[in-house]
Amino acid sequence: MEKHMASTAPQPSTNTTPQPDLCAHFSLSGRPFTQEISATRMWRHTGLDELLDDLDTAVSARMSVAVIAPSGTGKTALLRRLVDRLPETRYQVADIKVTSVGNRDFYRGLARALTVEPAGTWPGLLEKLQAYAQSLAATEARRLVIIIDEAQDMRPDVLSTLRVLTNFNLDSELLISIILVGDGGLETLLRRPDMEALRSRLSRVLRIRLLSKTETKAYIDHRLDLAGARQQILDDSAVEAVYDFSRGNLRAIDHLCRTALDLAARQKLDTIDAGIITAARKMLP
């Protein structure tokens, strides 16, 4: 069947034959713009690389930090790369997501993540965590790195207690680095007067920024290259439209491009233009 260039919008089809798979249609080796990608194949850009270096430096210096990351801006990729960079011979990493729970439930969850017996009151659990961190440092020369994701959902009274963890030490050397990760709500929480003690223990507040238009194009090209694309699939007008709709948000780019590729495959189009991107955007929530 003859293929043609993308029109400004897809037309309804009355053909009842099965629609082509986008991988077969575009001669791709795998579906692009999915989350199933190893840390080593993730797209790199200057902003995330600099943040990764800042996080690595803070952990090496036994410090704690906060990372402000709006949803869909690449925080998961950043944290995966950080964990891959931290050698297991020097660090034990606990990565937990939190909800609005009280002190006892929070510290029980943290204890489980570290394979510490989670029984007892929350002050008792703090003592167990301190003993565990000291033992890890004394017997294995390893330190704890605790990554707390969605930290904007923590109750303020629980969040403020983290200052105690940051004070755990052995021979005057700090034993735990805490990385708080959340959206703008976390930044609002940290500005509260009752968070002053915790703020003073954070060496940096880092921020993940959205992609520029040039970076958006580079990201799209990278994801298509990983999928085995051998020719340009999105023309310049399509890339422009993706940026206009997504404003450089990685998750929005993924959803939009994936939907546009499916749409173009169903329409048997070789190239995607701004019209297809606009139609794809209308199909998304």
Side-chain angles (χ1 to χ4, degrees), residues 42-115:
M42 289 178 179
W43 183 67
R44 311 293 176 89
H45 73 88
T46 304
L48 279 184
D49 285 346
E50 290 175 351
L51 276 178
L52 181 62
D53 289 340
D54 288 341
L55 284 172
D56 195 358
T57 299
V59 170
S60 297
R62 301 173 180 267
M63 305 303 292
S64 296
V65 299
V67 179
I68 307 303
S71 178
T73 53
K75 68 173 181 179
T76 300
L78 177 69
L79 295 177
R80 284 173 61 188
R81 289 176 61 191
L82 175 65
V83 172
D84 282 354
R85 184 182 283 198
L86 298 176
E88 293 183 3
T89 54
R90 293 177 55 196
Y91 302 101
Q92 179 181 348
V93 180
D95 185 356
I96 62 173
K97 284 193 175 183
V98 299
T99 54
S100 183
V101 296
N103 281 314
R104 184 168 182 267
D105 286 338
F106 173 77
Y107 284 105
R108 287 180 67 186
L110 179 55
R112 289 192 189 97
L114 295 171
T115 66

Side-chain angles (χ1 to χ4, degrees), residues 152-167:
Q152 75 276 357
D153 293 332
M154 293 185 73
R155 281 175 29 178
D157 60 316
V158 178
L159 181 63
S160 66
T161 65
L162 295 179
R163 70 188 187 279
V164 180
L165 292 179
T166 63
N167 281 338

Side-chain angles (χ1 to χ4, degrees), residues 21-34 36-37 41 219-231 233 261:
D21 173 74
L22 74 87
C23 292
H25 177 75
F26 290 110
S27 300
L28 301 176
S29 56
R31 286 185 67 87
F33 303 103
T34 66
E36 291 76 30
I37 180 173
R41 303 183 77 199
Y219 174 73
I220 291 171
D221 289 343
H222 173 76
R223 295 307 302 266
L224 288 172
D225 285 345
L226 288 181
R230 294 192 291 268
Q231 74 281 336
I233 296 177
L261 286 164

Side-chain angles (χ1 to χ4, degrees), residues 35-277:
Q35 293 185 338
E36 291 76 30
I37 180 173
S38 66
T40 57
R41 303 183 77 199
M42 289 178 179
W43 183 67
R44 311 293 176 89
H45 73 88
T46 304
L48 279 184
D49 285 346
E50 290 175 351
L51 276 178
L52 181 62
D53 289 340
D54 288 341
L55 284 172
D56 195 358
T57 299
V59 170
S60 297
R62 301 173 180 267
M63 305 303 292
S64 296
V65 299
V67 179
I68 307 303
S71 178
T73 53
K75 68 173 181 179
T76 300
L78 177 69
L79 295 177
R80 284 173 61 188
R81 289 176 61 191
L82 175 65
V83 172
D84 282 354
R85 184 182 283 198
L86 298 176
E88 293 183 3
T89 54
R90 293 177 55 196
Y91 302 101
Q92 179 181 348
V93 180
D95 185 356
I96 62 173
K97 284 193 175 183
V98 299
T99 54
S100 183
V101 296
N103 281 314
R104 184 168 182 267
D105 286 338
F106 173 77
Y107 284 105
R108 287 180 67 186
L110 179 55
R112 289 192 189 97
L114 295 171
T115 66
V116 174
E117 172 57 45
T121 63
W122 79 266
L125 288 167
L126 273 176
E127 291 179 2
K128 288 183 180 181
L129 291 171
Q130 182 176 22
Y132 179 77
Q134 290 173 337
S135 174
L136 193 69
T139 62
E140 301 182 30
R142 298 168 71 203
R143 291 196 296 110
L144 291 178
V145 177
I146 299 173
I147 300 172
I148 302 176
D149 200 1
E150 307 296 347
Q152 75 276 357
D153 293 332
M154 293 185 73
R155 281 175 29 178
D157 60 316
V158 178
L159 181 63
S160 66
T161 65
L162 295 179
R163 70 188 187 279
V164 180
L165 292 179
T166 63
N167 281 338
F168 289 172
N169 68 85
L170 181 67
D171 297 330
S172 300
E173 290 193 330
L174 297 176
L175 300 177
I176 298 178
S177 291
I178 295 177
I179 301 174
L180 295 171
V181 186
D183 60 20
L186 173 60
E187 193 164 20
T188 300
L189 267 178
L190 291 173
R191 289 196 186 114
R192 289 170 49 126
D194 54 345
M195 295 296 160
E196 183 177 357
L198 177 60
R199 282 198 311 272
S200 68
R201 289 163 173 79
L202 298 176
S203 64
R204 299 280 300 276
V205 176
L206 306 172
R207 293 172 179 80
I208 299 181
R209 62 173 176 80
L210 298 172
L211 301 188
S212 67
K213 187 182 298 185
T214 300
E215 289 169 337
T216 297
K217 175 174 171 47
Y219 174 73
I220 291 171
D221 289 343
H222 173 76
R223 295 307 302 266
L224 288 172
D225 285 345
L226 288 181
R230 294 192 291 268
Q231 74 281 336
Q232 182 179 1
I233 296 177
L234 277 73
D235 69 15
D236 291 342
S237 73
V239 173
E240 183 92 16
V242 169
Y243 177 74
D244 287 343
F245 285 126
S246 70
R247 308 314 299 175
N249 182 291
L250 286 167
R251 185 175 299 158
I253 294 170
D254 287 345
H255 290 332
L256 192 53
C257 288
R258 194 163 57 239
T259 303
L261 286 164
D262 280 325
L263 201 54
R266 290 200 299 270
Q267 292 292 314
K268 300 180 174 60
L269 305 173
D270 281 335
T271 306
I272 295 172
D273 67 4
I276 299 298
I277 298 298

